[in-house]
Amino acid sequence: MRLLVVEDDKTIREFLTRALVESGFGVDASALASQAEKLALEGVHDALIVDLTLPDMDGLELIQRLRAQGVGAPVLILSARRSVDERVLGLERGGDDYMTKPFAVAELLARVRALLRRSTPNQSEATRLRVGDLELDLIRREARRGGAEIQLTQQEFALLEYLCRNAGRVVTRAMVLDHVWKMRIDTSTNIVDVHIHRLRGKVDKDAQPPLIRTIRGVGYVLKD
Amino acid sequence: MRLLVVEDDKTIREFLTRALVESGFGVDASALASQAEKLALEGVHDALIVDLTLPDMDGLELIQRLRAQGVGAPVLILSARRSVDERVLGLERGGDDYMTKPFAVAELLARVRALLRRSTPNQSEATRLRVGDLELDLIRREARRGGAEIQLTQQEFALLEYLCRNAGRVVTRAMVLDHVWKMRIDTSTNIVDVHIHRLRGKVDKDAQPPLIRTIRGVGYVLKD
DNA sequence: ACTGGAGATGACGCGGTTGTCATCCTGCGG
DNA sequence: CCGCAGGATGACAACCGCGTCATCTCCAGT
């Protein structure tokens, strides 16, 4: 992970750089906005730490210029300006976080990590659903129970996905029919019952406790 | 944009809710972690504002439980605990921002907006592939050509996905057989040819120019 | 133009998937 | 204890996806 520090105060800049390097980050540092702009445009940085009071340009302007040129990395603003108005302004102008001086290094590190964690989206996060020891991988269309893969058909997967998305909440047959089968409410069919049965045969067969529960007179729940 | 507020202090909760609603957000609020967990699992919220001191569960535990269950929405922690250690802990345990009480509403709004600005566009990025006017949604398993939906079977989708991932590069039958069918190199079959043919019938039938091209003696390319 | 070989295409049948139905089971109220 | 409604289950038939094969088409090199 590579960071860019833009800070004119030499003491703070070097102190910051050392702390970040010790934490395992690659760090470029600059005291001038113009120089920082060139560095940032290389697009190699994963996050920026920017002071607002710079000798050749206001930090906010730097941020806006970078954003306008397609630099998407998250920016943590580090400023001596403490007022609420200044903070709001900084956040509105493209900053992703705002810290005031003096600051605690530990907190700055934590905030930088939080920014990186979110901006480098672990794609498995949005594409995976978990309930108890059951795991669905929406991209690979794979289901696992306690690590063991479960072979599911299209419809079975769709139904299980719907149950997972509503884990803990009771879903009625009508809801399932609507979302999974895209049918209007139809009491003359029992597809849902049948598929629940087939799912149980695969999901709750070889494992305890059963995850798919029946709520009599209402519908079903997936619950740990 | 829909938010979830988890805060046990009634005054703060209602004050916050009102301020957020006035700013144009949809707001659900809860005083209990257990209830908040159920609400959050619906997956309809774009961001969460969580107090750490809750009557039935620690806010950090709530956040960890939600993360473990696949809730990816950003979390702003709102807490009376002011120490650096507490802040660091909150950010490390899955919080994306941390504010201490008392707080300025304007700043909170700005921080929530900053979180939403960054976390919203990321979703669809990893789950979509595009080549020319052809679009694959890996989650929904839908394919579109110039906006029109194309009905594909499992294998067809898998093959097209593989072609998309290697768009512009020539892929050999052996590569396709290996990645899509997980078969060892086998010259005695022409499944690939057949499926390419079926794909063409659906993808290149009603649109110009053809995207699937044959490279004689080598394999196929998907190219704009 | 001829020909060999690579790719395209259409037909076919096996097997898995899916929805329906009839029947059996079970929890709950009387 | 009984009866009923709601749910579970097993059998079945229609359908569809998939791989194979035989045949046809087209391109490249002579």
Side-chain angles (χ1 to χ4, degrees):
Chain A
M1 290 287 128
R2 193 149 162 206
L3 308 180
L4 175 60
V5 173
V6 192
E7 164 68 62
D8 62 327
D9 184 306
K10 193 183 174 197
T11 313
I12 297 180
R13 187 175 68 246
E14 292 180 348
F15 169 66
L16 246 184
T17 303
R18 195 166 56 247
L20 290 167
V21 168
E22 277 170 12
S23 299
F25 294 107
V27 179
D28 294 315
S30 169
L32 295 171
S34 52
Q35 190 196 348
E37 186 177 353
K38 286 193 190 104
L39 287 170
L41 284 175
E42 294 175 18
V44 298
H45 302 99
D46 302 293
L48 280 56
I49 300 172
V50 179
D51 181 21
L52 290 189
T53 318
L54 298 169
D56 57 338
M57 190 194 300
D58 189 89
L60 289 182
E61 195 189 330
L62 171 63
I63 294 170
Q64 283 185 297
R65 291 174 61 99
L66 291 176
R67 289 281 182 256
Q69 289 172 90
V71 175
V75 172
L76 186 148
I77 295 174
L78 187 59
S79 168
R81 306 178 194 162
R82 314 178 58 89
S83 79
V84 169
D85 286 350
E86 294 282 0
R87 297 184 202 212
V88 170
L89 194 65
L91 292 165
E92 280 176 352
R93 292 285 181 80
D96 294 285
D97 201 344
Y98 195 110
M99 286 185 75
T100 53
K101 301 177 191 173
F103 60 96
V105 194
E107 182 177 353
L108 183 126
L109 283 169
R111 286 189 180 272
V112 167
R113 288 207 185 91
L115 286 179
L116 291 173
R117 189 203 311 147
R118 187 149 290 280
S119 68
T120 318
N122 190 357
Q123 70 181 42
S124 64
E125 200 139 324
T127 65
R128 278 198 180 160
L129 293 173
R130 292 189 53 211
V131 176
D133 60 345
L134 177 70
E135 225 172 325
L136 290 205
D137 186 322
L138 301 183
I139 297 267
R140 296 167 159 274
R141 298 264 127 175
E142 280 177 2
R144 302 182 171 281
R145 178 85 197 259
E149 185 170 348
I150 307 173
Q151 205 72 0
L152 297 178
T153 70
Q154 291 272 61
Q155 307 279 341
E156 285 164 1
F157 193 93
L159 172 57
L160 187 54
E161 178 184 341
Y162 183 67
L163 288 174
C164 272
R165 288 192 187 282
N166 295 75
R169 298 183 55 207
V170 183
V171 296
T172 67
R173 280 153 231 273
M175 289 164 65
V176 174
L177 224 47
D178 186 17
H179 284 91
V180 179
W181 273 268
K182 280 144 195 181
M183 297 172 77
R184 252 19 249 114
I185 298 149
D186 177 2
T187 52
S188 72
T189 180
N190 73 332
I191 341 173
V192 180
D193 300 52
V194 172
H195 269 81
I196 287 282
H197 176 235
R198 286 171 182 161
L199 259 190
R200 288 213 248 239
K202 296 182 178 180
V203 174
D204 283 341
K205 192 73 158 222
D206 312 312
Q208 288 297 323
L211 296 177
I212 305 173
R213 302 185 202 171
T214 307
I215 307 301
R216 217 182 159 75
V218 188
Y220 300 94
V221 211
L222 191 72
K223 207 173 182 187
D224 189 9
Chain B
M1 290 287 130
R2 191 148 163 210
L3 308 179
L4 175 60
V5 173
V6 192
E7 163 68 62
D8 63 326
D9 184 307
K10 194 182 174 197
T11 313
I12 299 180
R13 187 175 66 243
E14 292 179 349
F15 169 66
L16 246 183
T17 303
R18 196 166 56 245
L20 290 167
V21 168
E22 277 170 10
S23 299
F25 293 106
V27 179
D28 294 314
S30 169
L32 295 171
S34 52
Q35 191 197 348
E37 186 177 353
K38 289 197 188 98
L39 288 170
L41 284 175
E42 293 175 22
V44 299
H45 301 100
D46 301 293
L48 281 55
I49 299 172
V50 178
D51 182 21
L52 290 190
T53 317
L54 298 169
D56 57 339
M57 191 193 300
D58 189 90
L60 289 182
E61 193 190 330
L62 171 63
I63 293 169
Q64 283 185 297
R65 290 173 61 98
L66 291 176
R67 289 282 182 255
Q69 289 171 90
V71 174
V75 172
L76 186 148
I77 295 174
L78 187 59
S79 169
R81 306 177 193 164
R82 313 178 61 89
S83 78
V84 169
D85 287 350
E86 294 282 1
R87 296 184 201 211
V88 170
L89 194 66
L91 293 165
E92 281 177 351
R93 293 284 182 80
D96 293 285
D97 202 344
Y98 195 111
M99 288 187 72
T100 53
K101 301 176 191 173
F103 60 97
V105 195
E107 182 178 352
L108 183 126
L109 283 170
R111 285 188 180 272
V112 167
R113 288 207 186 90
L115 286 178
L116 291 173
R117 187 204 313 145
R118 187 149 289 278
S119 69
T120 308
N122 287 341
Q123 318 284 52
S124 59
E125 205 141 317
T127 66
R128 278 200 180 158
L129 293 174
R130 290 190 55 210
V131 176
D133 59 345
L134 177 68
E135 225 173 326
L136 291 205
D137 186 323
L138 300 182
I139 296 269
R140 297 166 161 273
R141 298 264 129 174
E142 282 178 0
R144 301 182 172 283
R145 179 86 196 259
E149 185 170 348
I150 306 173
Q151 205 73 358
L152 297 179
T153 70
Q154 291 271 62
Q155 307 278 345
E156 286 165 1
F157 193 93
L159 173 57
L160 188 54
E161 177 183 342
Y162 184 67
L163 289 173
C164 273
R165 289 192 187 282
N166 294 74
R169 269 172 289 174
V170 183
V171 296
T172 67
R173 279 151 232 274
M175 289 164 66
V176 174
L177 225 46
D178 187 17
H179 283 90
V180 179
W181 274 269
K182 280 144 196 183
M183 297 173 78
R184 257 12 255 114
I185 298 148
D186 178 0
T187 52
S188 71
T189 181
N190 73 332
I191 342 174
V192 180
D193 301 47
V194 173
H195 268 81
I196 287 282
H197 176 236
R198 287 173 181 161
L199 258 190
R200 279 181 167 142
K202 296 182 177 180
V203 174
D204 283 342
K205 192 74 158 217
D206 313 311
Q208 285 300 321
L211 297 176
I212 304 173
R213 302 185 202 171
T214 306
I215 309 300
R216 212 179 164 76
V218 188
Y220 302 93
V221 211
L222 191 72
K223 206 171 182 187
D224 190 8

